[in-house]
Every structure is written in structure tokens, then in C-alpha cells.
């Protein structure tokens, strides 16, 4: 399991706009979590809201297309997946459908026993943090000893952008040996996450973005789709390594109640459909054509990578740092960034 996938259109050289069947499903197997992070966009609670194994298997069945086969992989999250009483069965079921299971976790419940189970079974584990000093070395050692591919998911917000700059400068390289990558996730104001901690295009964020081209991190770095417009516009990152937002185009989100959404962060239910009432095939092939057609890049700024960008996030104006209707205004922001 390398995680490498190949994508082509009607010819090998064509980069398709969307996939005939999703490559990845992001599945919340519960909204149960005992950690209570104040920024949790899912507002997860200690409420035992677990998806049943039967429902999970039903989802796997739905995610199988007669012609295209299965999704390649699932990202199992929640809630806290390590608190799900049937996590092991869920992982085994995933494998029995020839789908690669991956796990996103706060890592609090990692033990020698669960790590031994995960070894040879999962594609990768993502450990979520918002302060690198809270990274538990004991957890990392457990995972490293078993050679489990481990990614750090670093939630990037206004109150830790200073530390994120230090990370790019290499100040925390001693924590990152044996880590596959550190992925910066854009903070979204949903659930318990307040607007006040959203990133703003201030000097700190500009410094962070400018550092990306000359970062000194001891492992690979990556960004979520929400950060892509900034990467495309302000960095020299090779566009071959950048995918614009894939939600509803190449990936899908399913929650513990079997609601399907283009994105786990969706703020409205316009494109929410329940698998108990409509098949996944109809959702992907019929219902989501409307969503895909609605995503049009209307950004008016001059940008070297306009053709590679999907433009603004349809759900959060707060995180559209790069987008503007007004060309002059954007050139002003751009000039400010250049001179910062
Ligand atoms: C909701 S958590 C659920 C899985 C698991 N409990 C964990 O902590 O990773 C899934 C991912 O969402 C991220 N996340 C939580 N709140 C967020 C927010 N307000 N904006 C963006 N990402 C957020 C977390 O950092 C984590 O990587």
C-alpha cells in the first residue's frame, strides 16, 4: 500500500474534472468523543452516537459500483474513532471490501495493543494536534516501532500561526523524525469553533505563506484543499503536486447517520442526501452534478495559476483569503504581501 493512485480521462494525458466514482470517502463512524476540544467543528460529545457495524457495511456496499468498483480508500474519523467499540470490526470489514482504511485520531487512546492491530491493516494514521508541544512522543514511538505511516494533522488557526512559522523554520524537526508528513489544516468556524480564531491575511499568515517555498521541515509538508488558492497564487509550488478542492469531485463525506455531503465542513444541507432513502450511485451520478456545476471560479484577480484553481470555498467566506471580485483590491493585497 503506497497510497499512490493514478488518474486519467478519456486519454492518458487528460486530467478529468471529476471521477466517475469517488477515490476517497471520509466517514465519521461516530460523533462520540470524550476529549472536548474547544475548536471541534463537529461539536463532538461524550454521547455514544456510534455508527453500527451493519450501517458501516451498508455504506461499503453502497460505495461499490458495478462498473467502477470500490472507492480506493476511506478516512475513518468521527468523533474519536479509537473510542468506537467496534473499530476493529470496521477496519476488518473495510479490508474485506479491498478498500484501504486510514484513521484520523487525537491519539489519546493509542496503546501497544491497538497499534499492533493497526500494523499491516491501515494505510496511514493521522494524529491531530494544534500545538506541536502536545505531540506525545510515546505515541510516535509506538507507531514508529511498527512502521505505521504517520501523518501529523496540524490545525492552523490564528492563535498558533506563530508556532506554525517556527515549524516551517525547522524549530521542531526533533519531533518529526520518522513522520511521513505534516499536513496543515485550515481552521473552519463551525460547531464549537468560533470565528475569532480564523486565520486572517495578516503579517503572520503572509510570513507563513512566504516561507513555504523555503521551508526547512525535516519531513514532507502538505495542506488541505482550503489552503490551495493561497498556495497556487503566492508560492512557486509545482502545480502537478496540487489538487484543488476535491469534495464532490473526487471525494465524499458520510456521517454516522448515513448522511452524504460533498464536504464534512458543509454549512448547509443543499447537497445532503441520506443513504437510507437514495442510493450512493444516484447521489454521485445525478444529485452531485448540480453541486459540481455550481463550483465556478469567478475570482477576478490576476493569477498565474487561475486555470488550476476552483476559486472560492462555497461554504466559508471567512477562509477565502485569496479570492476577490475586485481586481484592484486584490492587486493591493498582493502588493502588500510582496512587500511584507
Ligand atoms: C473532528 S476530528 C475527528 C477525528 C479525531 N477525533 C481527531 O481528533 O482527529 C477530524 C479532524 O478535524 C480537524 N478539526 C477539528 N476542528 C476543526 C476546525 N474547526 N476546523 C478545521 N479542522 C478541524 C481535527 O484537527 C482533525 O484532524
Amino acid at each position: 500500500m503506497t497510497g499512490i493512485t493514478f488518474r486519467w480521462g478519456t486519454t492518458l494525458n487528460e486530467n478529468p474534472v471529476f471521477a466517475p466514482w469517488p477515490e476517497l470517502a471520509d466517514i465519521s463512524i461516530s460523533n462520540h468523543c470524550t476529549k472536548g476540544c474547544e475548536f471541534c467543528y463537529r461539536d463532538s460529545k461524550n454521547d455514544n452516537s456510534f455508527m453500527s457495524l451493519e450501517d458501516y457495511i451498508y455504506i461499503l456496499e453502497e460505495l461499490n459500483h458495478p462498473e467502477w468498483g470500490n472507492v480506493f480508500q476511506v478516512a475513518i474519523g468521527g468523533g474519536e474513532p479509537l473510542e468506537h467499540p467496534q473499530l476493529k470490526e470496521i477496519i476488518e470489514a473495510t479490508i474485506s471490501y479491498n478498500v484501504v482504511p486510514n484513521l484520523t485520531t487525537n491519539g489519546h487512546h493509542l496503546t501497544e495493543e491497538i497499534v499492533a492491530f493497526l500494523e499491516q491493516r491501515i494505510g496511514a494514521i493521522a494524529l491531530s494536534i494544534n500545538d506541536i508541544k502536545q505531540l506525545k512522543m510515546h505515541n510516535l514511538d509506538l507507531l514508529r516501532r511498527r512502521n505505521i505511516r504517520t501523518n501529523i494533522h496540524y490545525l492552523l488557526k490564528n492563535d498558533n500561526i506563530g508556532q506554525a512559522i517556527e515549524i516551517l523554520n525547522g524549530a521542531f524537526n526533533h519531533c518529526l523524525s520518522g513522520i511521513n508528513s505534516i499536513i496543515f489544516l485550515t481552521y473552519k468556524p463551525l460547531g464549537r469553533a468560533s470565528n475569532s480564531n480564523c486565520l486572517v491575511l495578516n503579517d503572520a499568515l503572509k510570513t507563513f505563506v512566504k516561507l513555504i517555498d523555503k521551508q526547512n521541515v525535516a519531513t514532507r509538508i502538505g495542506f488541505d484543499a482550503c489552503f490551495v488558492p493561497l498556495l497556487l497564487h503566492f508560492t512557486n509550488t509545482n502545480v502537478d503536486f496540487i489538487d484543488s478542492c476535491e469534495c464532490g469531485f473526487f471525494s465524499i463525506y458520510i456521517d454516522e447517520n448515513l448522511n452524504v455531503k460533498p464536504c464534512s465542513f458543509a454549512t448547509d444541507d443543499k447537497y445532503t442526501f441520506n443513504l437510507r432513502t437514495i442510493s450512493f450511485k444516484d447521489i454521485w451520478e445525478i444529485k452531485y452534478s448540480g453541486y459540481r456545476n455550481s463550483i465556478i471560479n469567478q475570482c477576478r484577480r490576476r493569477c498565474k495559476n487561475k486555470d488550476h484553481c476552483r476559486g472560492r470555498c462555497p461554504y466559508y467566506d471567512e477562509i477565502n483569503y485569496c479570492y476577490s471580485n475586485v481586481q484592484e483590491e486584490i492587486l493591493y493585497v498582493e502588493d502588500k504581501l510582496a512587500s511584507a
Side-chain angles (χ1 to χ4, degrees):
M1 289 184 293
T2 62
I4 295 174
T5 55
F6 295 89
R7 187 186 285 171
W8 62 91
T10 45
T11 67
L12 283 179
N13 291 328
E14 186 190 311
N15 195 7
V17 177
F18 70 97
W21 201 242
E23 297 169 358
L24 168 84
D26 177 3
I27 305 179
S28 286
I29 58 168
S30 80
N31 202 14
H32 170 98
C33 181
T34 54
K35 192 165 172 238
C37 301
E38 84 282 359
F39 52 79
C40 180
Y41 79 95
R42 293 226 60 217
D43 192 16
S44 298
K45 298 188 180 90
N46 183 357
D47 63 3
N48 296 321
S49 54
F50 301 114
M51 180 188 286
S52 68
L53 181 60
E54 292 69 30
D55 279 354
Y56 186 78
I57 291 171
Y58 180 73
I59 291 174
L60 291 173
E61 286 286 334
E62 284 290 304
L63 290 176
N64 181 277
H65 187 283
E67 183 181 359
W68 305 112
N70 289 310
V71 297
F72 299 146
Q73 47 181 326
V74 291
I76 299 173
E80 173 47 49
L82 290 180
E83 293 182 1
H84 194 296
Q86 289 178 297
L87 176 65
K88 287 181 183 170
E89 289 87 342
I90 284 172
I91 289 175
E92 296 284 24
T94 312
I95 294 166
S96 75
Y97 278 74
N98 279 325
V99 175
V100 176
N102 301 282
L103 216 57
T104 305
T105 172
N106 61 36
H108 275 228
H109 304 281
L110 278 177
T111 59
E112 179 71 51
E113 190 263 332
I114 184 75
V115 171
F117 173 82
L118 297 176
E119 184 187 12
Q120 309 290 336
R121 286 187 172 85
I122 60 165
I125 193 165
L127 289 180
S128 305
I129 55 168
N130 63 101
D131 174 358
I132 199 156
K133 292 178 184 152
Q134 284 167 4
L135 200 52
K136 293 198 178 111
M137 287 304 131
H138 172 69
N139 279 347
L140 289 187
D141 287 342
L142 282 179
L143 295 162
R144 282 190 284 231
R145 273 206 298 275
R146 301 267 176 187
N147 282 326
I148 294 180
R149 190 178 293 135
T150 303
N151 299 304
I152 306 287
H153 277 184
Y154 188 93
L155 182 58
L156 191 61
K157 42 197 174 79
N158 205 27
D159 65 8
N160 65 10
I161 186 81
Q163 184 184 72
I165 290 170
E166 292 181 58
I167 294 172
L168 288 192
N169 275 324
F172 292 95
N173 280 349
H174 55 282
C175 308
L176 299 175
S177 83
I179 297 291
N180 184 56
S181 72
I182 178 163
I183 310 290
F184 294 94
L185 308 179
T186 312
Y187 175 95
K188 265 82 68 183
L190 184 66
R192 291 201 289 272
S194 68
N195 263 306
S196 60
N197 227 336
C198 277
L199 293 168
V200 276
L201 194 60
N202 57 15
D203 288 347
L205 182 56
K206 291 173 193 171
T207 304
F208 179 82
V209 175
K210 284 169 72 178
L211 259 176
I212 292 170
D213 281 335
K214 38 185 182 199
Q215 50 87 13
N216 193 24
V217 187
T219 184
R220 292 184 283 190
I221 65 166
F223 297 87
D224 65 359
C226 320
F227 211 82
V228 160
L230 282 174
L231 286 182
L232 286 172
H233 189 80
F234 292 118
T235 74
N236 294 319
T237 312
N238 182 339
V239 290
D240 290 344
F241 297 126
I242 302 182
D243 268 329
S244 257
C245 181
E246 307 218 321
C247 300
F249 290 80
F250 294 95
S251 67
I252 198 70
Y253 171 69
I254 305 174
D255 76 11
E256 62 283 359
N257 297 314
L258 276 56
N259 291 312
V260 177
K261 301 172 188 241
C263 168
S264 65
F265 297 99
T267 48
D268 63 46
D269 285 328
K270 195 167 170 202
Y271 293 101
T272 302
F273 300 97
N274 194 277
L275 284 179
R276 296 188 206 283
T277 54
I278 177 167
S279 72
F280 185 76
K281 188 169 180 302
D282 283 353
I283 297 172
W284 187 258
E285 294 178 349
I286 300 167
K287 299 288 185 190
Y288 277 12
S289 58
Y291 172 80
R292 291 181 203 117
N293 291 336
S294 72
I295 307 289
I296 299 165
N297 185 358
Q298 293 172 322
C299 181
R300 292 191 56 214
R301 75 181 319 168
R302 286 186 208 147
C303 178
K304 59 182 188 282
N305 283 320
K306 200 164 197 144
D307 292 345
H308 300 280
C309 190
R310 283 203 209 282
R312 64 196 288 276
C313 167
Y315 296 116
Y316 297 94
D317 279 339
E318 299 88 334
I319 62 164
N320 284 315
Y321 308 111
C322 190
Y323 177 88
S324 179
N325 299 316
V326 187
Q327 201 149 4
E328 291 74 17
E329 179 194 321
I330 272 311
L331 287 173
Y332 168 75
V333 173
E334 198 172 339
D335 288 347
K336 280 189 79 172
L337 184 68
S339 62

